[in-house]
Amino acid sequence: MKIVLNDLFDYKNRFIYQLEDGFKFSLDSILLAEFVKVKENLKILDMCSGNCAIPLILSTKTKSKIVAFEIQNIIAKLAYDSVLYNKLEDQIKVINDDISNIGNYFEKEEFDIITCNPPYFKNNGNIFNKNDFLSIARHEINIDLEKIFNISFKYLKNNGILYLVHRTERLDDIFYYSRINKINVKELQFILTKNNSIPSLVLVKCVKNSKSGIKIKKIVNVNNCRTYQHLFDSE
């Protein structure tokens, strides 16, 4: 497997290690990182961190401490090397472990923000190779929405925020697990990735112990974007 060092898209002062013919960060991660509203003196957790694209982008917006959890050894090593290359080891901590073991590292209600670009597809038992890192990244083999919301409730501070990116077809599951875990959906940002189509992606903001009520934001067509930086600042 050949490892390459790439620009982190629009973020010319950030670089990221990737597998040339394998796992790479996606537009979804960029959109989620831009959707997140940050300020200073926060503690941020990125679940399903992959090769650390979201923490690297967030580090251009805040100096707050960020923890990146990634279960896969090879991908976590790419994330760690990217953090070192960008000289961000004092801000971003990479943990190579199952997020279920988060209690071995942190106290409950420790984080202000949790971000997650999770596997999109349910595990129907027909996955060809359960050890393949692309299968793990795309299918709910090691983590699913139920676990994401359960962990988020335990480790978010009161009124802490969970930011997700997901497929629109999974909104029913997102609403269900957000409600039973008392992390209500507060904002939905639909993303159009193909002209003359319907939104296939949605960015979701959920707040722990918040009142019910959802704000639907204006649909964004990424085909009309010259840059993704500050895409949602005016919203």
Side-chain angles (χ1 to χ4, degrees):
M1 291 180 290
K2 183 178 179 181
I3 296 173
V4 294
L5 181 66
N6 297 133
D7 288 343
L8 187 53
F9 205 69
D10 285 349
Y11 309 89
K12 300 305 181 184
N13 61 338
R14 293 290 185 269
F15 300 87
I16 190 167
Y17 283 105
Q18 306 196 94
L19 298 178
E20 185 175 51
D21 298 317
F23 185 91
K24 291 183 172 67
F25 75 92
S26 64
L27 172 62
D28 308 22
S29 294
I30 297 174
L31 293 173
L32 179 59
E34 283 297 331
F35 186 61
V36 175
K37 298 294 187 293
V38 290
K39 53 186 178 181
E40 301 306 325
N41 301 315
L42 301 176
K43 193 162 187 179
I44 302 169
L45 168 65
D46 183 43
M47 294 195 280
C48 309
S49 197
N51 54 348
C52 216
I54 292 172
L56 289 173
I57 295 172
L58 290 179
S59 73
T60 69
K61 302 167 66 174
T62 179
K63 296 187 182 300
S64 295
K65 299 293 184 180
I66 306 170
V67 176
F69 246 92
E70 172 54 43
I71 192 171
Q72 301 193 75
N73 295 340
I74 295 174
I75 308 304
K77 179 64 165 57
L78 294 176
Y80 180 73
D81 289 345
S82 294
V83 170
L84 291 182
Y85 187 90
N86 289 281
K87 297 183 170 64
L88 293 169
E89 58 268 30
D90 290 337
Q91 182 181 7
I92 301 174
K93 179 179 182 179
V94 177
I95 298 177
N96 177 205
D97 201 350
D98 190 323
I99 191 64
S100 298
N101 298 324
I102 186 173
N104 295 334
Y105 305 89
F106 302 103
E107 299 294 328
K108 292 181 179 179
E109 299 188 338
E110 189 163 341
F111 292 94
D112 300 281
I113 290 174
I114 294 177
T115 58
C116 189
N117 179 4
Y120 286 166
F121 304 105
K122 293 183 179 182
N123 181 4
N124 59 13
N126 296 321
I127 298 168
F128 177 72
N129 184 356
K130 291 187 178 182
N131 295 318
D132 177 71
F133 45 74
L134 289 176
S135 294
I136 292 173
R138 292 170 179 168
H139 296 83
E140 293 179 332
I141 297 172
N142 294 307
I143 193 168
D144 56 20
L145 281 168
E146 182 177 12
K147 183 185 287 188
I148 289 167
F149 277 96
N150 183 264
I151 290 172
S152 295
F153 180 80
K154 291 177 181 177
Y155 289 91
L156 277 174
K157 297 176 182 178
N158 192 44
N159 293 317
I161 302 173
L162 168 64
Y163 289 97
L164 283 171
V165 59
H166 222 297
R167 294 178 65 86
T168 53
E169 64 200 51
R170 296 297 303 276
L171 273 172
D172 57 340
D173 293 322
I174 290 171
F175 289 144
Y176 175 75
Y177 290 117
S178 67
R179 181 59 62 90
I180 66 173
N181 285 284
K182 300 179 182 178
I183 314 178
N184 286 324
V185 175
K186 300 302 295 179
E187 292 184 9
L188 295 175
Q189 175 76 71
F190 291 97
I191 304 296
L192 194 65
T193 57
K194 295 180 180 179
N195 291 324
N196 302 316
S197 184
I198 60 174
S200 58
L201 286 178
V202 61
L203 300 165
V204 186
K205 176 183 176 181
C206 308
V207 180
K208 179 178 175 177
N209 290 326
S210 62
K211 295 180 180 180
S212 60
I214 302 173
K215 179 181 179 180
I216 309 295
K217 308 187 89 173
K218 185 178 179 180
I219 294 174
V220 169
N221 185 346
V222 294
N223 295 288
N224 298 330
C225 299
R226 294 183 179 180
T227 177
Y228 300 120
Q229 287 183 287
H230 312 295
L231 182 60
F232 307 109
D233 285 1
S234 61
E235 291 291 319

